[in-house]
Amino acid sequence: MDQIAYVNGSFVPMSEAKVSILDRGFLFADGIYEVAAVLEGKLIDNASHLARLERSVGEIALALPETIDRIQEIQKELIARNNLVNGMVYLEVTRGADSGRDFAFPKGVKPTLVMFTSVKDIINAPSAKTGIGVITVPDIRWARRDIKSVALLAQVLAKQAAAEAGAGEAWMIEDGKITEGGSSSAFILTQDDVLVTRQNSSTILPGCTRRAVVALAEERQLRVEERPFTVEEALKAKEAFITSATVFVQGVVTIDGKAVANGKPGPMTDRLREIYVDFARATAQ
């Protein structure tokens, strides 16, 4: 059965979901997106994602065409219409379609809002048990990575390099330090049992899962340092892992082909994954 998507006020079969070729998301990557996980038919940490959506559109002076409450209603209706049990809801808002291709913001144009769902069993993903390898690549992105822009070409190239190397993710490097993954936040656990992840700034996307994991760790009296770290520090760490809405918490077992510790997901990574899954189930909407 054809899945149902949402396009500018209408629920339509995915095969019929279309936007104009003059849409500024297509022409200029003039848009913002969000991805929220779905577990057992419910949205995970969605308030955090919608708050980030509001912040991102505000940073580029893009008005949402619907209220946040209405957007969440649409997300839930899509989940219901597609009988989605485990997976994700993708949301994108662009500045809309004008009559031409002018760089400056058009006047009197309604923003485009599209959403669709996809199936993914995040809980039982095999890589959650085995861990993943990462490769390192130069961070060639623009200077406002805190905005969740649909301009993802640098991340596409990084993820493609990882795929070609047989790795599960690419960690991007700037000034000798890891910024983040192509679609994830990066963490290490030092030999002194300190969780380290880069602090939020314009150099990284403020990850919603990252935020939740840091808060859950601190609630359990774990030491957390928000600062940059190097590849060398990561290779000397007890554990390394990534976080994102589509993997939750996932161990990193190799970096550029070199093993992290014993080359298996560590006990802290596994425990934080369990804690996050419990949090996700308890707070799902």
Side-chain angles (χ1 to χ4, degrees), residues 4-13 16-18 66 70 74 77-78 81 110 113-115:
I4 301 300
Y6 173 91
V7 181
N8 292 331
S10 299
F11 291 92
V12 296
E16 298 174 18
K18 296 176 175 63
E66 300 285 356
R70 177 57 185 151
I74 297 166
E77 186 164 350
L78 269 182
R81 284 175 179 247
K110 186 174 181 180
L113 177 62
V114 298
M115 299 186 212

Side-chain angles (χ1 to χ4, degrees), residues 154-177:
Q155 289 94 316
V156 167
L157 295 175
K159 301 282 272 191
Q160 178 61 24
E164 290 175 0
E169 178 60 296
W171 275 359
M172 295 178 282
I173 309 295
E174 185 173 64
D175 298 328
K177 305 286 179 65

Side-chain angles (χ1 to χ4, degrees), residues 24-174:
R24 291 177 63 88
F26 176 70
L27 296 177
F28 298 112
D30 188 1
I32 300 298
Y33 78 102
E34 276 293 338
V35 181
V38 175
L39 186 60
E40 296 160 4
K42 296 182 179 180
L43 288 158
I44 303 303
D45 203 13
N46 197 44
S48 183
H49 287 279
L50 294 179
R52 186 172 63 182
L53 172 68
E54 284 192 290
R55 180 188 178 278
S56 289
V57 296
E59 290 296 307
I60 66 169
L62 171 56
L64 289 172
E66 300 285 356
T67 66
I68 288 294
D69 286 346
R70 177 57 185 151
I71 287 172
Q72 181 161 272
E73 287 176 3
I74 297 166
Q75 289 174 306
K76 291 181 177 180
E77 186 164 350
L78 269 182
I79 292 169
R81 284 175 179 247
N82 288 307
N83 297 311
L84 183 65
V85 179
N86 297 310
M88 62 202 76
V89 179
Y90 177 88
L91 175 163
E92 181 173 330
V93 57
T94 79
R95 211 174 300 274
D98 198 13
S99 57
R101 187 181 175 275
D102 294 325
F103 280 76
F105 297 170
K107 291 182 173 63
V109 171
K110 186 174 181 180
T112 293
L113 177 62
V114 298
M115 299 186 212
F116 61 85
T117 65
S118 57
V119 175
K120 183 176 182 180
D121 188 355
I122 302 172
I123 296 289
N124 299 308
S127 56
K129 294 181 176 147
T130 63
I132 61 167
V134 302
I135 64 166
T136 58
V137 298
D139 198 333
I140 59 173
R141 297 173 298 165
W142 74 321
R144 289 301 309 276
R145 302 159 194 165
D146 55 306
I147 298 171
K148 199 166 177 67
S149 162
V150 296
L152 293 170
L153 182 56
Q155 289 94 316
V156 167
L157 295 175
K159 301 282 272 191
Q160 178 61 24
E164 290 175 0
E169 178 60 296
W171 275 359
M172 295 178 282
I173 309 295
E174 185 173 64

